[in-house]
Amino acid sequence: MSKKIFSGVQPTGNLHLGNYLGAIKNFVELNNQKDNECIFCVVDLHAITTKQEPKELKKNIRETAATFIASGIDPKKSIIFNQSMVPAHSEGAWILSCVSRIGWLNRMTQFKEKAGKDKEKASIGLYSYPVLMAADILLYDATHVPVGDDQKQHLELCRDIAQKFNNDFNAPGFLRFPEPLIQKEFSRIMSLKDGLKKMSKSDPSDLSRINLTDDKEQILNKIKKAKTDPLPMPSESNNLSQRPEVENLLGIYSSLVNQNLEKSMYEFDGKNFSEFKEKLSEILIEKIEPISKEIKKLLNDEKYLDGILLEGSQKADKIASKKIREIKELVGF
Ligand code: TYM
């Protein structure tokens, strides 16, 4: 069955191994499957829910598009565009925010994490961010949405919003319920410094993550400094959850070589950490360094990247503007 795929990545800089293994690697596989229609969006409207420096934002929009292409998404086969170029996203988000309930948004754990203690000072955009995300997906009748584990709750909310819109406007089946595509294993990559914290763009320590623009030396250094524990390499998964850093590093290795955790444990059983780290760095360099080099090369050609985004947004606009017209008609505008 052919799938309609939609997913997005925020252009907030420091795209990292978590973004790659949790989402972008999956985008590439979906792009390569014959019958899929894929749309990959640089979600710049989402980015401004926290303060962005305009010049940096412009650079990061291009860098995110470059990361998609450098990772293997073919812009001739998939649509790559940035959200702010297609007005239907903002319009859709407003209309859907009028069917969404405050109680639903109050349950969103990501808002609580991002807003932190001082949630009165968070932007309204940060709070209603999942409604914009729902608009992104529903405008394209996406059937499948590949994301990392942290976006699961937002996708459940998207289905609730679609259902309420369809009920309120007596339009059964009009907004299509999307299926999340979350990998069974390794869908949450953790910080290299703290196995209980998600690897994140906003972690102040650059040593906590492998950036997709890191070079060989940086990768080697970060893996060398990655936290482990004094115990030997584990031979079974029983008490691995009590060793989150080790579990995470083994998970990263397994995901990169496409094998399950058990197999990786068997491979390193009885060996010491330095040997494991050496292998891990090797595979990381093999997979990430070519992407990093290609991103840098593409960034030198702003005209090319802007052309891809323009062409992509024209294609996306055709689809989204039709859907938003139908939405407006149902609402009574
Ligand atoms: P964003 O930009 O935070 O992250 C982009 C993708 O990377 C995944 N990810 C991770 N996966 C595993 N381990 C990690 N440590 C990790 N960190 C990030 C995220 O799950 C995501 O898939 N709201 C979204 C962007 C968005 C979107 C959409 C996604 C906007 N509209 C519509 C899908 C459909 C976000 O902030 O992702």
Side-chain angles (χ1 to χ4, degrees):
M1 191 196 74
S2 80
K3 301 185 186 107
K4 278 192 186 175
I5 310 289
F6 186 98
S7 197
V9 175
Q10 290 195 64
T12 36
N14 297 335
L15 285 186
H16 53 72
L17 190 66
N19 298 125
Y20 180 71
L21 295 178
I24 299 171
K25 185 171 163 239
N26 217 355
F27 298 177
V28 177
E29 271 164 37
L30 292 161
N31 165 88
N32 291 342
Q33 287 168 12
K34 202 163 138 251
D35 295 323
N36 292 345
E37 288 170 45
C38 301
I39 305 180
F40 299 114
C41 185
V42 180
V43 291
D44 49 9
L45 296 171
H46 278 103
I48 62 163
T49 56
T50 55
K51 195 164 178 358
Q52 303 297 321
E53 171 58 39
K55 274 204 190 106
E56 274 295 297
L57 180 61
K58 240 189 195 25
K59 177 182 147 271
N60 288 333
I61 291 168
R62 291 192 180 110
E63 189 167 309
T64 307
T67 305
F68 286 167
I69 300 167
S71 304
I73 296 171
D74 176 3
K76 290 208 181 72
K77 184 155 188 281
S78 297
I79 296 177
I80 295 178
F81 78 109
N82 58 317
Q83 202 182 20
S84 64
M85 303 259 277
V86 178
H89 290 257
S90 310
E91 292 182 83
W94 178 257
I95 295 172
L96 293 180
S97 75
C98 297
V99 300
S100 305
R101 303 294 92 175
I102 289 176
W104 300 351
L105 284 172
N106 281 343
R107 286 200 289 272
M108 295 298 115
T109 52
Q110 197 171 79
F111 173 74
K112 291 179 197 158
E113 280 163 23
K114 286 197 174 172
K117 283 196 197 90
D118 207 355
K119 78 174 194 278
E120 298 286 312
K121 286 204 175 136
S123 73
I124 292 170
L126 189 68
Y127 181 69
S128 62
Y129 165 122
V131 181
L132 174 59
M133 180 164 161
D136 297 344
I137 298 165
L138 299 172
L139 281 170
Y140 298 90
D141 294 321
T143 59
H144 294 83
V145 181
V147 282
D149 178 67
D150 61 340
Q151 297 298 318
K152 195 169 162 198
Q153 198 185 27
H154 292 160
L155 282 173
E156 283 159 9
L157 179 78
C158 173
R159 294 167 67 103
D160 289 344
I161 294 174
Q163 179 149 38
K164 179 126 190 339
F165 183 93
N166 291 350
N167 284 347
D168 285 2
F169 296 101
N170 201 13
F174 171 71
L175 292 179
R176 192 165 182 168
F177 303 159
E179 289 293 331
L181 284 181
I182 300 174
Q183 297 170 91
K184 281 194 204 77
E185 284 188 299
F186 327 125
S187 58
R188 181 177 281 258
I189 304 296
M190 310 309 275
S191 154
L192 301 179
K193 290 274 144 205
D194 178 352
L196 297 175
K197 247 171 66 185
K198 207 175 66 174
M199 185 177 284
S200 140
K201 298 165 186 169
S202 54
D203 195 312
S205 167
D206 198 51
L207 289 175
S208 69
R209 63 181 163 261
I210 305 282
N211 298 309
L212 297 178
T213 48
D214 282 348
D215 60 23
K216 192 172 163 182
E217 294 310 316
Q218 286 166 309
I219 294 174
L220 278 170
N221 182 40
K222 286 177 181 179
I223 294 302
K224 204 166 110 199
K225 295 203 169 130
K227 189 172 168 198
T228 52
D229 59 35
L231 300 172
M233 287 294 293
S235 55
E236 48 169 82
S237 54
N238 278 355
N239 58 358
L240 207 52
S241 60
Q242 278 140 44
R243 304 177 64 187
E245 285 83 16
V246 176
E247 185 177 27
N248 185 43
L249 292 180
L250 274 165
I252 291 173
Y253 180 81
S254 309
S255 178
L256 289 166
V257 299
N258 282 322
Q259 70 185 17
N260 63 30
L261 205 63
E262 301 293 327
K263 193 142 185 241
S264 300
M265 276 190 293
Y266 181 74
E267 190 179 335
F268 293 102
D269 188 16
K271 308 221 162 94
N272 52 31
F273 269 110
S274 60
E275 212 169 320
F276 167 64
K277 280 189 165 184
E278 218 170 276
K279 272 272 188 201
L280 176 60
S281 303
E282 224 170 77
I283 184 82
L284 271 168
I285 291 165
E286 184 189 318
K287 301 275 180 183
I288 301 303
E289 204 189 30
I291 297 178
S292 164
K293 282 189 174 154
E294 187 61 19
I295 294 174
K296 286 169 191 152
K297 201 172 110 197
L298 286 166
L299 283 176
N300 284 326
D301 196 348
E302 291 183 353
K303 232 169 133 189
Y304 169 74
L305 292 172
D306 292 352
I308 297 283
L309 289 170
L310 178 64
E311 198 182 312
S313 58
Q314 286 163 347
K315 287 185 193 156
D317 189 61
K318 267 209 185 104
I319 307 170
S321 60
K322 178 166 176 281
K323 192 77 181 179
I324 198 78
R325 269 201 303 278
E326 292 167 0
I327 290 176
K328 286 178 172 173
E329 187 59 39
L330 282 168
V331 170
F333 291 155

